[in-house]
Amino acid sequence: MQIQILSPMDPLWNELMDYAENCSWRAGKRLAQEMRAGNFTGWERVLAAVEESRIAGYCTVARTDCIPDLPCTPFIGYLFVGEAHRGARLSQRLIQRAMDYLGDLGFDRVYLVSDHENLYEKYGFRAIDARMAPWGAMEKIYAQELKTSK
């Protein structure tokens, strides 16, 4: 399994966009819309887990997440692992690759937003806040320190 960091110019970009559009998670459609609209600019990326030329999962690294006006950046978001690949710690590998990438860029902390309980804590994240999301659900904001190479 390889974790590839994609920008809009990568050949796998459109394939990942189609995968997200048609995956079982409803937020995948929103990610596909953001990719189509060109909303990943500068250092922002989509990461793809690829096994034997097939996409197995994805996540993003971006300036913002679903809760507007948070005073922090960058975020890991849209974490999804296809059903056939669950249970093999693929989400952990995606998160770690995203953190390595952000650390290489010089960021010293990373954030994510989720309503999952006891998931991201096992990857070293700690809840630092909770906010109401635009769709009316309470979401936790998690943070983790990064090892930077700069």
Side-chain angles (χ1 to χ4, degrees):
M1 184 79 62
Q2 294 183 327
I3 309 296
Q4 297 182 23
I5 299 174
L6 307 178
S7 68
M9 298 301 159
D10 285 296
L12 196 56
W13 185 264
N14 288 335
E15 185 178 338
L16 181 59
M17 193 168 42
D18 291 342
Y19 179 86
E21 178 80 39
N22 296 298
C23 78
S24 61
W25 184 36
R26 68 179 182 209
K29 289 187 186 327
R30 178 73 183 134
L31 172 58
Q33 289 171 351
E34 289 192 29
M35 292 172 75
R36 230 177 257 109
N39 291 345
F40 291 89
T41 60
W43 55 263
E44 295 176 302
R45 298 288 186 269
V46 180
L47 285 73
V50 181
E51 182 175 62
E52 297 177 12
S53 302
R54 297 183 61 105
I55 296 171
Y58 56 80
C59 73
T60 62
V61 290
R63 285 179 183 79
T64 61
D65 203 314
C66 57
I67 298 177
D69 303 322
L70 287 176
C72 48
T73 196
F75 286 88
I76 296 173
Y78 287 108
L79 180 62
F80 175 80
V81 173
E83 288 80 359
H85 298 279
R86 293 182 183 167
R89 297 211 178 264
L90 186 51
S91 58
Q92 181 178 12
R93 291 187 58 202
L94 282 159
I95 289 168
Q96 187 59 56
R97 184 66 185 103
M99 291 190 322
D100 291 347
Y101 170 73
L102 293 167
D104 289 348
L105 291 175
F107 290 104
D108 59 3
R109 183 179 285 183
V110 65
Y111 303 88
L112 60 83
V113 176
S114 179
D115 63 352
H116 289 290
E117 295 290 331
N118 301 315
L119 173 61
Y120 296 106
E121 292 88 345
K122 69 183 176 185
Y123 301 138
F125 285 85
R126 61 183 172 75
I128 60 168
D129 199 356
R131 301 274 178 100
M132 190 65 67
W135 53 89
M138 189 60 82
E139 301 277 338
K140 287 184 182 177
I141 294 91
Y142 291 90
Q144 185 172 158
E145 303 298 317
L146 295 175
K147 295 178 178 115
T148 63
S149 64
K150 292 188 176 184

